[in-house]
Amino acid sequence: MRSSSVKTSSSRLLVVDDDPELLLLLKDELTEQGLNCSSANCGSDALLMLRQESFDLVVLDWNLPDFDGTEICRRLRSSNDTTPVLMLTAHDDVDDRVHALDLGVDDYLTKPFELKELHARVRARLRRGQFANAERRKDSLSLGDLQIDLIEREVKRGDLELSLSQREFDLLAYLVKHKGEVLPRQQILEAVWGAPFMG
């Protein structure tokens, strides 16, 4: 068993290219790798789909009929969307690559390319994404529509941010960490208020 395998069956990709033959080829190839692929042939459709759905990776052509892929990436990053982007392009100039990376492109593959390299880059990007998600889960808790950010010490219920005191936050976080468990009163007091608490 290879420990570096990626769980692709649940990974969702958006493939964006205005060349219908290449778009179909890319979608078929990536679907054969066990990926769930959606597609768009212009920038406006891609942005609409990204607003409506969640994707693990965007495979994005640079040249599109309405606006180029770097503009899509710029709009994503300006709206704090961190969806990883793998750019496909015939632009192989260093300045172009630097420009794309500065706008938030995560990886870059020049045309023409070998499909096995595309597969490898997709797998690598998904691995990084899974690792990042695992790290984020360590820094946050959730229960139903309740989201607890342990780093910023913020709590949201849906879109509503809740105002809690430091002790209320600590108590809520402790209870959510131990959801489903029956906790003795003394254990809660020692964990949240501290061992010497006598109240």
Side-chain angles (χ1 to χ4, degrees), residues 9-190:
S9 58
S10 59
S11 297
R12 302 195 66 238
L13 268 68
L14 176 60
V15 183
V16 187
D17 201 296
D18 65 333
D19 181 336
E21 291 185 6
L22 181 58
L23 185 61
L24 181 61
L25 173 66
L26 292 173
K27 189 175 179 182
D28 287 348
E29 281 288 330
L30 293 169
T31 299
E32 283 185 13
Q33 299 296 308
L35 297 161
N36 183 356
C37 290
S38 299
S39 61
N41 60 10
C42 66
S44 54
D45 286 351
L47 285 172
L48 180 62
M49 294 174 73
L50 285 161
R51 282 195 294 267
Q52 295 176 340
E53 304 175 54
S54 176
F55 294 94
D56 298 295
L57 177 65
V58 181
V59 179
L60 178 63
D61 187 28
W62 183 305
N63 294 316
L64 294 168
D66 45 2
F67 45 85
D68 65 38
T70 56
E71 175 62 15
I72 293 176
C73 196
R74 187 194 67 77
R75 293 189 189 190
L76 286 178
R77 301 306 181 239
S78 66
S79 63
N80 296 318
D81 188 323
T82 59
T83 304
V85 173
L86 168 59
M87 181 75 79
L88 305 179
T89 178
H91 296 259
D92 60 358
D93 184 76
V94 171
D95 289 338
D96 288 332
R97 291 200 295 271
V98 169
H99 176 63
L101 293 167
D102 283 344
L103 287 175
V105 170
D106 298 276
D107 202 356
Y108 198 100
L109 187 58
T110 55
K111 299 177 180 179
F113 53 83
E114 294 290 338
L115 287 171
K116 62 183 179 181
E117 183 179 2
L118 172 66
H119 295 159
R121 287 179 181 273
V122 166
R123 288 194 302 270
R125 182 50 53 187
L126 291 174
R127 270 197 305 273
R128 291 188 200 113
Q130 289 173 2
F131 176 77
N133 287 338
E135 289 299 304
R136 275 196 294 272
R137 283 195 291 271
K138 294 178 185 177
D139 297 335
S140 63
L141 300 168
S142 63
L143 182 63
D145 64 348
L146 200 65
Q147 298 292 325
I148 304 172
D149 187 326
L150 299 175
I151 302 299
E152 299 296 331
R153 296 183 66 83
E154 294 177 348
V155 180
K156 286 187 177 180
R157 185 163 192 176
D159 293 328
L160 178 65
E161 187 168 339
L162 306 181
S163 177
L164 301 179
S165 69
Q166 179 176 332
R167 191 75 71 202
E168 288 169 339
F169 179 90
D170 291 340
L171 177 59
L172 177 64
Y174 187 76
L175 293 175
V176 172
K177 282 180 184 177
H178 296 274
K179 59 188 174 186
E181 300 178 34
V182 178
L183 301 173
R185 177 176 182 272
Q186 190 60 36
Q187 180 179 333
I188 297 172
L189 291 174
E190 290 179 0

